[in-house]
Amino acid sequence: VRKILVVNLTRFGDLLQTSPTIVGLRENHPDAELVALVERNFADVARGLPAVDRVWELDLDRLGRMLIGETGDGLRAAYRLVDDTVNALRDERFDLALNYSSSKMSAVLLRLIGAPDTRGWTMSADGHRLIAHPWSRLFAASCLTRRQAPFNLVDYYKRVAGVAAGPQRLFFEVPADARRWAADFLAAAGVPPGAPLVAFQLGASRPVRRWPAAHFVAVARTLHAAIGARFLLCGGGGDRPVASEIATALGPLAIDACGRSSVAGLGALLEHADVLVTGDTGPMHMAVAVGTPVVALFFGPALPFDTGPYAADHVCLHAEVACAPCDHNVTCLEPFCRDTLAPAAVAEAVIARRAGDWQALAAAAARWPALAWYRTGFDAEGLADVVPLGARPPGRAEVQRRAYRALWKTVLEGTAPRTVSAALPRDAAVLREVAGLAAEGAGRALGVEALAADARDLDALEAAARRLEELDARLFRLGAMHEAAALLVQVFRFEKENLEGQDVGALARATRLVHEELAARARLLAEMLEPAGAVRPALPQGGNHASVR
Amino acid sequence: VATFTDAAELHDLVRHYLAHPEERAWLAAAGRARVLAEHTYRHRMQRLLETVAAGDHERLGSRPREETVADAARREGDTPLGDLLRRLPTATPFKLDGVVQGLLHRAGDLSDPEAILLFLHQFDELYVREQRA
């Protein structure tokens, strides 16, 4: 591999989350040129990622200005801008293109760039979405069925790129001028080096993800009394009103940095903080990248399992309410989950994490049973994990998540199947039903395959194909009805969607394999969740057979 | 033109033409030529306008109108985008929605200009539409 393109058109947190993959690619391909394609506003973040040789900036703001008038010269100019960009990207002749943005827009772009090995979202020649790579499909499916989100986003990124053994942390290189700026800023605010300093990230991408200002004030009062800390208020220009509300309440204890720093400056400021208290935000990943411990608050749509801090020994507090996580498209009228995260509990977490006292954290977890407390780390196979703090028995979602982790590690990586801590017999029964239907589907696909070989009886072929479709509709329905089957069925959907070609016989054969794999996976998952817990090594093949790219 | 009166007859016709590819191709080509010569939207619209606006052509012609793909294709000239726009129904407004709708209903592989327009349409939906509203 001579030249690699990494595409990430999302925001800066996501870009930081690609950093271990890029460093891993550098380790695996020391002589390859690594190019990052990002939105212009985040080009500086991309330049702060080690191992990026060159940054390609996509000026989406400019494209937006061209299109605002909808028609005429603007539309023609926008066309030319994309045409020129695509031609220039094609001239680069990338051998490998990794798309880490999950949008149709990026899928079309990757198709246009046309690298011979393209992974992630892309598009077929006739304009249909393809999700190229088993880990990419699993990630896309888990975004739709998040309660069982088995793995951290960064681990999907790494495995799609083939760098599973890459670093277990995030990276950002703070430039020297940003470091000088941060030191001056804190000195001007009267913070001597080494004085206790706790940072608060106030903002979030949407109001529903924002922890209330009054809660930050309450945490600050407790922390000041306990450890004499001062407080660095972080956020964008849009968070100024919240920042001044908190600054007014806290007086000279608060140092308001909202809207005052570049992204690099934020990294430099966070280097000075003892702990960052934050929701699931870009600055959370920045703190992780510069090595500052975080106490991360997960509520609303956020979950620690898939987008939590990617490094060991951070603390996640999750408001494990019945409706969590909420759908990204839902507007909640009663966001009580934010208050479930009690300021007193958060203050305890900050004090104990600052001291590195994991026993105190476990004890605090026991005192606040309405919250799920987690410590981040990595499992035996090197995948990021959140380990419960305290002695709380695992709930149903946790058992399902554990079983799903074991399943995908077996299916995609060949790890030996293992038992989970508790049986879920009802879920196991649903999975047996899925396995039975999928096996029947494999039989029906075999029927289609046989009829396709002898194309004379078109009526019979059509009827057989329809019978297969009916069965798949029943499978989709099971996936929609039962949480335990949702992720399995969604991955199956994506695998079917990814089958390409015109030859009915070949398609029927590939469809049969996809059904056989679903049956095998559902059986394995059922075995893990059945009371006996006896797992037989039953899986005949991996998830990366030739029919599904 | 091949015609039928009931489903059984249709069935027979389909089987016949599936079995005789040359005859099928000839019939299809002849049908297409006749449609293009006599039965396009242009023919219908011309007839409609003649009927509705007889004697009032001047007023209709003086109305400001939005840019169509035909206008855009003229300005574009001999470029891949111009060629693509010339293949669309001439009265289609030169806007992403209309142009992309026209593309999506076609079978077969997407050309580069088609894919670029699809990209712009997706971008527009994600980022621009909200600002415009």
Side-chain angles (χ1 to χ4, degrees), chain A residues 60 63-64 67-68 70-72 75-76 79-80 82-83 90 104-105 108-109 112 123 125-127 459, chain B residues 15 67 72 75-76 81 94-96 108-110 112-113 115-116 118-120 122-124 128 131-132:
Chain A
L60 295 183
L63 195 61
L67 284 177
I68 198 85
E70 252 187 312
T71 180
L75 179 50
R76 276 197 297 282
Y79 178 93
R80 269 192 301 280
V82 176
D83 193 20
R90 275 182 185 167
K104 282 192 207 163
M105 179 184 92
V108 183
L109 183 63
L112 280 161
M123 193 176 77
D126 58 353
D459 288 340
Chain B
R15 284 179 190 286
E67 185 171 357
R75 289 203 190 126
E76 203 43 44
L81 175 61
F94 182 52
K95 286 184 178 175
L96 287 168
D109 291 355
L110 291 179
D112 283 355
I116 291 172
L118 199 57
F119 173 88
L120 287 172
Q122 290 295 334
F123 172 76
D124 195 71
V128 191
Q131 291 180 47
R132 200 181 285 131

Side-chain angles (χ1 to χ4, degrees), chain B residues 28-116:
Chain B
R32 183 168 189 274
R34 181 151 166 207
V35 166
L36 290 179
E38 298 173 23
H39 299 295
T40 67
Y41 274 106
R42 175 179 287 279
H43 296 99
R44 294 292 174 275
M45 193 53 73
Q46 196 162 350
R47 181 79 185 278
L48 186 85
L49 288 175
E50 279 165 9
T51 310
V52 171
D56 205 7
H57 278 141
E58 216 164 284
R59 197 169 67 85
L60 275 180
S62 69
R63 283 181 54 207
R65 57 187 196 88
E66 53 182 16
E67 185 171 357
T68 64
V69 292
D71 304 328
R74 264 194 302 280
R75 289 203 190 126
E76 203 43 44
D78 188 20
T79 66
L81 175 61
D83 293 343
L84 182 153
L85 295 173
R86 270 184 285 279
R87 290 205 306 273
L88 294 169
T90 49
T92 309
F94 182 52
K95 286 184 178 175
L96 287 168
D97 271 345
V99 171
V100 169
Q101 280 311 314
L103 302 178
L104 289 181
H105 291 119
R106 273 192 43 233
D109 291 355
L110 291 179
S111 65
D112 283 355
E114 287 172 332
I116 291 172

Side-chain angles (χ1 to χ4, degrees), chain A residues 2-127:
Chain A
R2 191 183 44 84
K3 210 166 179 184
I4 302 171
L5 179 69
V6 177
V7 180
N8 198 327
L9 299 178
T10 43
R11 291 162 309 163
F12 96 82
D14 304 70
L15 214 45
L16 292 174
Q17 286 170 296
T18 59
S19 62
T21 300
I22 295 175
V23 172
L25 283 166
R26 166 60 69 235
E27 286 165 1
N28 285 10
H29 309 283
D31 300 323
E33 188 184 9
L34 289 171
V35 182
L37 175 66
V38 302
E39 216 231 294
R40 168 159 290 178
N41 293 327
F42 300 123
D44 282 345
V45 184
R47 292 200 180 84
L49 306 183
V52 169
D53 292 312
R54 198 147 49 85
V55 177
W56 243 99
E57 301 177 17
L58 210 54
D59 193 347
L60 295 183
D61 287 344
R62 183 169 163 222
L63 195 61
R65 285 194 298 275
M66 289 170 167
L67 284 177
I68 198 85
E70 252 187 312
T71 180
D73 293 340
L75 179 50
R76 276 197 297 282
Y79 178 93
R80 269 192 301 280
L81 177 62
V82 176
D83 193 20
D84 292 347
T85 306
V86 164
N87 285 327
L89 282 165
R90 275 182 185 167
D91 289 345
E92 295 254 13
R93 303 186 154 275
F94 295 106
D95 305 296
L96 169 63
L98 302 161
N99 183 11
Y100 290 129
S101 358
S102 307
S103 65
K104 282 192 207 163
M105 179 184 92
S106 68
V108 183
L109 183 63
L110 268 286
R111 167 82 202 171
L112 280 161
I113 296 171
D117 184 353
T118 296
R119 304 180 198 167
W121 285 47
T122 180
M123 193 176 77
S124 68
D126 58 353

